[in-house]
Amino acid sequence: LKKLASLGKTVFGGGAMQVGLTIVGVTGVLHAFGVRTESAVFIGFLASLSSTAIVLRVLQEKGRMDSAPGRVASAMLIYQDIIVVPMILMTPMLAGRSADPFGDLFAMLGKMLVLLALIYVLARYAVPRLLDAVVRTHSRELFITTIVVLCFATAWLTSAIGLSLALGAFFAGLVISESEHRFQATGNILPFHEVFISFFFVSIGMLLDVGYLVKHIGVVLLFTLLTLVGKTLIATVAAMVLRYPLRTALLTGLALCQVGEFAFILSATGLEQKLLARDHYQLFLSVSITTMGLAPVIIGGSGRWTAVLLRLLVPARLRQRLD
């Protein structure tokens, strides 16, 4: 929580700017192509989200989590993971299916405030004492079970009050991170993490219609390129507005250039609410999976590519001033 508070400006300022500019940009482009405004805004929601699972994994493997670009990218990813909940709740309003949009919005904000107060109490007082008691039993099985139950219970709680399971899981991790046993918890949970991440990406692959991808390969590649370039530029601008050096901003932009896993959860809601046609859904899947496949290569080589771009496009004197 202390680290999150120290990144507050980047999380909420940079994250809001990156998400907002992406939604505006995508809405403008799709509106020009004749897509109705509600659907264009919803597709902007989808495009604004990046892959926390892929980005954090690659940054960890490369030892860049505590670098400046790693911290900025992580902060913006945290904002994206939080904002996806209001996006899910706003989707029926976009589709015109909410009888009282303002009432629903205030109800959602009220639930979030109550939940945040509860999470704070659990993180600072209840869970650390619970884990201390469990550790004193010297039972590894009981410790793992307690961690898993905390995760699922918090996820169920958020789902029961009309928010998302994913947000609950995120808050469970935040609660456990306040305990002095967080490193032991991380070590025990990592095997589950590996297995579930594999299942998740296999399930995404099963959603893709390969026939559609082959038939529309030109359109898919065009929108993939637009997504990669557009998201890189927007995240770079957001980081520069926060007064990070140009190199840090570019590395952040390259890290966030793909479409993320929460977009798949959100897209299912859009299908239900008729904001996403079947053809558009398959195009979204094809583009998203392609960007996610390219993400490890792009992030891995981002240092070299950033150095080349800076040398080619920015004069040395201007480079010094920007840094």
Side-chain angles (χ1 to χ4, degrees):
L1 287 172
K2 286 178 184 174
K3 193 169 183 181
L4 185 59
S6 71
L7 287 169
K9 179 182 168 187
T10 310
V11 171
F12 296 102
M17 204 179 309
Q18 182 266 324
V19 169
L21 289 174
T22 305
I23 293 171
V24 169
V26 170
T27 302
V29 170
L30 292 179
H31 201 57
F33 278 96
V35 178
R36 65 192 177 104
T37 304
E38 296 86 350
S39 295
V41 170
F42 179 74
I43 295 170
F45 285 177
L46 300 180
S48 67
L49 304 172
S50 303
S51 176
T52 305
I54 292 174
V55 175
L56 296 190
R57 165 57 62 85
V58 176
L59 289 175
Q60 283 171 347
E61 287 177 353
K62 302 289 181 184
R64 298 181 193 167
M65 278 294 293
D66 286 323
S67 66
R71 289 198 303 273
V72 179
S74 300
M76 291 186 183
L77 286 168
I78 288 170
Y79 181 84
Q80 292 176 14
D81 290 352
I82 294 170
I83 200 66
V84 75
V85 179
M87 286 178 178
I88 290 172
L89 297 175
M90 285 171 64
T91 299
M93 301 179 205
L94 264 182
R97 309 216 171 188
S98 175
D100 182 12
F102 290 107
D104 289 347
L105 188 61
F106 282 119
M108 178 191 75
L109 291 172
K111 289 175 185 177
M112 284 290 288
L113 288 173
V114 170
L115 184 63
L116 287 171
L118 178 62
I119 294 300
Y120 180 81
V121 171
L122 288 173
R124 299 310 292 266
Y125 306 108
V127 171
R129 292 179 183 179
L130 171 65
L131 291 182
D132 283 342
V134 170
V135 166
R136 282 197 293 272
T137 66
H138 302 290
S139 170
R140 184 169 178 269
E141 292 80 7
L142 181 60
F143 184 82
I144 293 173
T145 304
T146 304
I147 297 297
V148 172
V149 168
L150 278 171
C151 175
F152 281 99
T154 312
W156 172 82
L157 174 64
T158 58
S159 178
I161 63 172
L163 302 175
S164 82
L165 286 164
L167 184 71
F170 171 78
F171 279 142
L174 201 61
V175 166
I176 294 165
S177 76
E178 289 299 292
S179 163
E180 63 181 16
H181 306 294
R182 59 187 177 276
F183 298 113
Q184 183 183 347
T186 302
N188 287 328
I189 291 300
L190 274 177
F192 294 96
H193 180 265
E194 307 297 330
V195 171
F196 287 138
I197 283 288
S198 301
F199 282 149
F200 178 77
F201 285 109
V202 167
S203 69
I204 288 174
M206 291 167 67
L207 293 172
L208 181 64
D209 182 347
V210 179
Y212 179 92
L213 175 60
V214 172
K215 188 176 177 182
H216 300 88
I217 188 66
V219 177
V220 170
L221 290 176
L222 173 63
F223 277 98
T224 298
L225 182 63
L226 286 173
T227 301
L228 293 173
V229 173
K231 291 197 71 174
T232 299
L233 288 174
I234 287 170
T236 300
V237 168
M240 288 188 71
V241 170
L242 293 173
R243 302 183 66 82
Y244 284 99
L246 179 58
R247 183 176 183 279
T248 299
L250 270 172
L251 287 169
T252 302
L254 288 167
L256 301 177
C257 67
Q258 74 295 131
V259 177
E261 55 275 357
F262 273 128
F264 294 100
I265 299 167
L266 186 57
S267 66
T269 309
L271 269 178
E272 288 172 16
Q273 300 294 336
K274 311 293 186 195
L275 284 170
L276 207 57
R278 283 283 166 188
D279 280 354
H280 292 162
Y281 178 62
Q282 279 302 322
L283 178 60
F284 158 73
L285 283 177
S286 301
V287 170
S288 302
I289 291 171
T290 306
T291 62
M292 291 170 90
L294 292 171
V297 179
I298 293 171
I299 299 170
S302 59
R304 294 189 302 275
W305 295 350
T306 299
V308 171
L309 281 171
L310 289 175
R311 277 201 305 271
L312 290 176
L313 301 178
V314 184
R317 188 175 290 180
L318 178 57
R319 239 181 3 250
Q320 268 186 332
R321 288 186 62 113
L322 287 170
D323 282 339

